Amino acid sequence: MAPPDATLHTVATGRAAETVAQHQNPQDLTFYSAWFCPFNHRLWIALEEKGIPYQYKEVNPYKKEEYFLQINPRGLVPAVEYRGKAIYESLVLLEFLEDAYPSYKPNLLPSDPSDRAHQRIWIDHIAKAVVPALMRLTMTQPNEQEKLETARNELYEALRKLQNEIKGLYFAGDQFTLVDVVIAPWILRDYVSAEHRGFKREDVGEGWVKYAKAIETRDSVCRTMSERDKAKVIYDRYLRGDAHSEAAKAVKAGRPIP
């Protein structure tokens, strides 16, 4: 029997496919990517935002193929090989890019230590509050009205806390930074909960509507997004509550997302 979701559409589409085609030559950094994964999407946005040379290689993390397990023993994306060394975990990799490619601009973390710490505090909020709440809402079934309302309000509360920290067009003002990168894939995918679970950006607040619009129209974000219909099969699994990703398993079990 094929692994769950092993038969997903195998390659990026739309503008993302055009971006893939531009990154086929060998480079110091090889990016192992799954086009549909929001955690993976963070790193792809950062690579494009900074203009870092990379070679793109598509993998399906559900298949747990042996060659990829040699790169990331957990079999998850994103992962990279940098000058022969394997590195993985999306938040670790985002900071790695800042360290390994300091001359590539823009800097996605501020130079001031206090400002960097402030970014990390809100990245942690996204990881521990926003993402689990959004996934819980998506996986809550429509016939569980009380749970659905609780999940929706939990997400609104988490997003409002983040909204209150936004200083301008982007989180830190005019500059696009790591907080924006980390939340971007989830903003792009909130249409699933909007169409099926009653989520409304307007119910978070006017500031969130403006911020989400700025994020979803950022060029580096648009260049790495595939066509929605190709991801329908996987989002349908979340909506039915039987998704098989490690993140989905953790949310259902009440554990932190790995």
Side-chain angles (χ1 to χ4, degrees):
M1 180 181 292
D5 297 319
T7 57
L8 287 169
H9 193 78
T10 56
V11 295
T13 57
R15 289 197 64 187
E18 297 172 11
T19 302
V20 169
Q22 295 164 7
H23 292 278
Q24 293 302 298
N25 294 330
Q27 303 289 348
D28 283 349
L29 188 147
T30 302
F31 171 39
Y32 292 92
S33 170
W35 65 267
F36 53 83
C37 174
F39 298 98
N40 177 86
H41 198 179
R42 294 167 168 171
L43 188 65
W44 202 2
I45 291 168
L47 286 166
E48 285 296 307
E49 187 68 33
K50 293 177 72 68
I52 293 171
Y54 64 93
Q55 182 180 21
Y56 183 102
K57 290 192 177 181
E58 187 74 41
V59 298
N60 186 329
Y62 293 102
K63 290 185 176 181
K64 308 296 183 192
E65 294 179 276
E66 186 59 34
Y67 85 93
F68 187 57
L69 293 174
Q70 297 299 314
I71 297 164
N72 182 351
R74 300 175 65 198
L76 302 176
V77 291
V80 307
E81 280 187 299
Y82 176 70
R83 299 178 179 175
K85 295 182 179 180
I87 312 168
Y88 44 89
E89 300 296 341
S90 66
L91 298 182
V92 172
L93 283 165
L94 289 173
E95 295 215 22
F96 163 75
L97 294 184
E98 293 296 291
D99 294 336
Y101 295 91
S103 64
Y104 285 79
K105 306 298 180 182
N107 295 324
L108 296 175
L109 274 176
S111 58
D112 180 82
S114 297
D115 292 340
R116 291 168 81 93
H118 185 69
Q119 286 265 325
R120 291 181 177 118
I121 287 168
W122 288 98
I123 288 170
D124 187 67
H125 173 76
I126 294 166
K128 293 179 179 177
V130 175
V131 173
L134 181 55
M135 293 186 71
R136 247 188 309 277
L137 175 60
T138 305
M139 292 190 292
T140 300
Q141 297 307 293
N143 61 346
E144 301 175 305
Q145 284 300 316
E146 187 173 339
K147 288 184 178 180
L148 197 61
E149 185 174 355
T150 298
R152 198 161 44 235
N153 288 335
E154 178 187 6
L155 176 58
Y156 287 154
E157 181 181 359
L159 291 176
R160 285 177 190 135
K161 287 180 179 178
L162 182 58
Q163 174 187 242
N164 292 340
E165 295 294 319
I166 296 170
K167 300 298 189 286
L169 184 64
Y170 301 113
F171 178 80
D174 291 335
Q175 179 153 351
F176 190 75
T177 59
L178 274 194
V179 171
D180 305 308
V181 171
V182 170
I183 192 66
W186 307 98
I187 288 175
L188 284 172
R189 291 160 174 80
D190 69 9
Y191 71 89
V192 178
S193 290
E195 291 176 0
H196 300 278
R197 297 294 186 263
F199 171 80
K200 296 179 181 178
R201 291 178 180 175
E202 294 83 358
D203 288 349
V204 180
E206 182 181 347
W208 187 256
V209 173
K210 292 178 180 178
Y211 175 71
K213 185 67 174 178
I215 294 295
E216 69 184 1
T217 55
R218 182 85 177 179
D219 192 48
S220 60
V221 175
C222 295
R223 287 202 309 269
T224 51
M225 190 64 184
S226 287
E227 296 163 349
R228 285 184 178 182
D229 65 305
K230 302 300 186 300
K232 186 177 183 301
V233 61
I234 194 166
Y235 296 141
D236 282 349
R237 285 190 180 276
Y238 281 88
L239 290 167
R240 293 195 304 269
D242 65 352
H244 296 281
S245 71
E246 295 301 316
K249 293 175 186 176
V251 169
K252 285 193 285 188
R255 294 184 279 106
I257 293 176

